[in-house]
Amino acid sequence: MKRVTFVLAAATVAAVILSGCQAEQTVAPNSSSSASSTPTQTDDPTAQDSAQAWADETFGTFEAFTVTGSGADKIVFPDDAKSGFYTITWAPGHYANEQSGAQVYGEDGTYHEAGMADYQGDVASVAYGLDSTVGPAGWITVGPGAGDWSITVSPISALPALPETGGYDAYLYAGAEQPAIFSSLNSGRVNVRQFNGIDPTDSILPQEDFTAVGTLLAGPSVVNVQLESVSPWTRSTN
């Protein structure tokens, strides 16, 4: 059996993939707290405040909670946390094992593409439950090769602003419509998806040269940035 602790979180949250669950737990928040670092924010503070208010109205809010475990597990979302983001922290070297990631599934058991965290680095965050066409999120599944892990689930409004450089993370975007290029600093494909709470925009897609090129639609919106390597990325308009 896994061990479970619940912790109030102020920012990012993580979560799970792959089948092979050993236990199932419906979690509720507790009163302790945890802290995690966030990248430098570049959006205007007033616009970010507006985006946070939009996120609360569009996706709802709840008390963040943290679950810890080892290997395969299943974390069921509380009723008020069907949309949010999770931050997963793995023990070093987790990616050497097979099935070490995390994945979100719908209440009907369907695979949610915007909900996977499968990363060579030690920490990743992913926003989930943003696509109204696929239904509510139901749970996170952690793979049997994940080793020791910790997942924090938080409301969308706790996301940091989209920066000019970052990692495998989710962000709030409060800016204007503009062309954008997300480039890996070393190697590895960059995949960017943007959500406005109405329909999945998927405005930026990965390219063969390992950059994501397209248009960031006007905010407020949520942006998931995912990488195939531990390389950070940079964002530019040309």
Side-chain angles (χ1 to χ4, degrees):
M1 293 289 292
K2 66 170 177 57
R3 56 190 179 86
V4 178
T5 59
F6 302 97
V7 183
L8 287 178
T12 44
V13 173
V16 269
I17 188 176
L18 303 173
S19 59
C21 303
Q22 294 173 340
E24 178 176 339
Q25 196 85 5
T26 299
V27 292
N30 204 329
S31 58
S32 45
S33 63
S34 64
S36 59
S37 60
T38 58
T40 301
Q41 299 185 8
T42 58
D43 281 351
D44 176 80
T46 303
Q48 178 70 2
D49 290 344
S50 176
Q52 290 172 333
W54 163 82
D56 281 342
E57 180 178 357
T58 303
F59 301 109
T61 187
F62 56 91
E63 291 188 1
F65 58 88
T66 296
V67 180
T68 61
S70 183
D73 215 327
K74 180 177 180 180
I75 302 166
V76 178
F77 294 120
D79 290 340
D80 59 355
K82 300 300 184 180
S83 297
F85 76 99
Y86 69 85
T87 300
I88 181 168
T89 302
W90 294 276
H94 77 95
Y95 207 74
N97 301 313
E98 293 183 0
Q99 298 184 335
S100 63
Q103 174 64 49
V104 172
Y105 289 87
E107 290 181 329
D108 58 357
T110 57
Y111 172 93
H112 279 201
E113 184 177 354
M116 175 186 292
D118 187 15
Y119 187 48
Q120 296 179 44
D122 296 336
V123 181
S125 69
V126 178
Y128 67 88
L130 309 178
D131 183 356
S132 59
T133 66
V134 299
W139 64 82
I140 297 169
T141 299
V142 182
D148 294 338
W149 49 264
S150 174
I151 290 175
T152 300
V153 180
S154 301
I156 291 295
S157 59
L159 285 171
L162 180 67
E164 293 180 356
T165 184
Y168 196 124
D169 285 305
Y171 306 95
L172 276 178
Y173 178 66
E177 180 173 322
Q178 60 178 289
I181 301 173
F182 290 75
S183 302
S184 173
L185 294 185
N186 296 313
S187 63
R189 194 179 304 279
V190 185
N191 181 17
V192 181
R193 300 185 67 187
Q194 185 179 17
F195 299 87
N196 59 14
I198 301 173
D199 55 71
T201 62
D202 285 355
S203 62
I204 302 175
L205 300 175
Q207 304 296 319
E208 291 184 2
D209 61 356
F210 301 109
T211 63
V213 180
T215 300
L216 275 175
L217 303 184
S221 62
V222 180
V223 177
N224 273 342
V225 184
Q226 299 179 333
L227 301 168
E228 291 184 356
S229 75
V230 295
S231 302
W233 51 263
T234 59
R235 175 168 64 98
S236 62
T237 57
N238 52 43

